[in-house]
Amino acid sequence: METVRRKRKRSGEDWFVDIVAYGFAGLLSLSILLPFMQVVTISMSPASVVNQTGFHMIPTKFDFSGYEQIATDPNFWHSYLNTIIRTVLGTASGVLVTMLTAYPLAKTNLPYRRGLMMFVVFTMYFSGGMIPKYLLVKSLGLTNNFLVYILPCLITGFALIITRNFFMSIPPALEESAKIDGATNLDVLFKVYLPLSTPVVATISLWYCVQHWNSWMDNMLYVTEKSKYVLQYVLQTILTNGQTADMEAMTDIVIHTETMKMAALVLSLIPIVCTYPFLQKYFVKGMIVGSVKG
């Protein structure tokens, strides 16, 4: 006998929870969208309009001179290239080292496994501080070295834990059958685990990508050569001081209007905005699966 499932009648409590949830999500979305709209509007407005009306959401006049001026600034594009190189190298090396570290830590028969994981968690809460880190970087000869953008932040504890937990959710029978066929540990990692780990790899790749793209503090602390400046540090200088040193002349100062500042911000957002949609579908799955198994 075929049974018919009746749709449960929604109670007043259900409606209240939905209204609160959607209302909170809407307010959160507006808090993100409105500043972004403001930045885009100012970047497309004439400097005279911006000076008269200040910040506004809808452009009254269109003027792309800010983009034209920033497009002719060699400092901006040189730092843009440095950031792209840093992000690509940092993300690729970070994902590789994270997977190579997470794979042995996912094995329950690894000696001192619990102690190693406690050490990883410890680094998430405590650090040596800014001065000891600077002395370490200097003693390693990484100051004014492009590797200072890669090596000190090569791996993060949270990404390691998420990846390790994901690997623990993979059935051990797959590894055992691969080793019976003569596979080595690296073969198992890259030919068995890696194809099954697309969600978690996409998740940690997005983390590392955003981390490297947004970093500027290491530039300020460890790099004084203007040819190695990254985009975010140049943007920080532009937004804070309204000017940036010319890398060619080393003494000339390029003054930036509010329109140019916002145009530089919009251009700096393009790579991340274009990358995120391709990784979004894996993001939630990677987070959930990577965090449920301890």
Side-chain angles (χ1 to χ4, degrees):
M1 182 178 180
E2 184 178 357
T3 59
V4 180
R5 296 182 179 179
R6 295 182 178 179
K7 186 176 180 180
R8 186 176 68 89
K9 185 178 180 180
R10 296 177 61 82
S11 63
E13 182 179 352
D14 294 332
W15 285 108
F16 176 77
V17 171
D18 286 349
I19 292 173
V20 172
Y22 283 109
F24 179 78
L27 291 176
L28 183 62
S29 300
L30 285 176
S31 67
I32 298 172
L33 183 61
L34 292 180
F36 181 76
M37 290 175 56
Q38 179 177 272
V39 169
V40 174
T41 297
I42 294 178
S43 70
M44 297 187 300
S45 300
S48 58
V49 174
V50 175
N51 294 332
Q52 291 176 0
T53 60
F55 296 117
H56 53 289
M57 298 298 172
I58 301 176
T60 56
K61 294 182 180 180
F62 289 93
D63 182 14
F64 297 95
S65 59
Y67 289 96
E68 295 174 358
Q69 295 176 35
I70 208 69
T72 59
D73 186 353
N75 306 332
F76 179 82
W77 294 111
H78 188 83
S79 63
Y80 210 120
L81 178 61
N82 287 340
T83 299
I84 292 175
I85 296 174
R86 171 187 179 164
T87 302
V88 172
L89 293 179
T91 301
S93 58
V95 172
L96 177 62
V97 173
T98 300
M99 294 188 65
L100 291 174
T101 309
Y103 176 68
L105 289 175
K107 306 305 172 187
T108 56
N109 58 350
L110 178 71
Y112 309 110
R113 174 172 170 267
R114 184 178 295 273
L116 291 172
M117 288 305 304
M118 290 180 62
F119 178 77
V120 171
V121 174
F122 181 85
T123 62
M124 296 172 62
Y125 294 96
F126 303 97
S127 66
M130 184 181 297
I131 295 177
K133 185 177 180 181
Y134 176 82
L135 295 176
L136 175 62
V137 169
K138 185 177 180 180
S139 65
L140 293 175
L142 293 177
T143 53
N144 286 320
N145 190 324
F146 199 85
L147 291 177
V148 76
Y149 296 141
I150 309 298
L151 295 181
C153 52
L154 187 60
I155 186 172
T156 61
F158 191 68
L160 175 60
I161 292 175
I162 291 294
T163 308
R164 171 243 188 192
N165 291 349
F166 190 94
F167 285 170
M168 291 178 66
S169 67
I170 297 177
L174 295 176
E175 179 176 357
E176 294 172 1
S177 61
K179 288 188 173 181
I180 291 176
D181 294 334
T184 63
N185 287 324
L186 288 179
D187 290 332
V188 173
L189 175 59
F190 291 107
K191 295 181 180 180
V192 178
Y193 277 55
L194 182 59
L196 299 174
S197 304
T198 301
V200 75
V201 169
T203 300
I204 64 174
S205 296
L206 182 62
W207 289 345
Y208 283 125
C209 180
V210 174
Q211 173 188 338
H212 283 285
W213 189 265
N214 289 335
S215 294
W216 62 272
M217 181 68 74
D218 45 10
N219 186 166
M220 184 181 70
L221 294 176
Y222 311 127
V223 178
T224 57
E225 295 181 5
K226 295 180 174 61
S227 61
K228 295 185 175 68
Y229 279 3
V230 295
L231 176 62
Q232 301 304 330
Y233 182 66
V234 172
L235 285 178
Q236 190 268 344
T237 305
I238 293 173
L239 296 176
T240 303
N241 303 325
Q243 59 189 29
T244 180
D246 191 338
M247 293 180 186
E248 299 295 334
M250 296 298 179
T251 55
D252 296 341
I253 299 297
V254 179
I255 305 299
H256 297 273
T257 64
E258 289 297 323
T259 301
M260 291 179 64
K261 291 179 184 181
M262 298 308 163
L265 281 178
V266 172
L267 291 175
S268 70
L269 290 172
I270 292 176
I272 296 298
V273 172
C274 294
T275 301
Y276 186 77
F278 296 100
L279 302 178
Q280 181 183 14
K281 61 180 180 180
Y282 302 110
F283 186 78
V284 175
K285 183 179 179 181
M287 283 289 294
I288 295 175
V289 179
S291 60
V292 295
K293 196 174 183 67

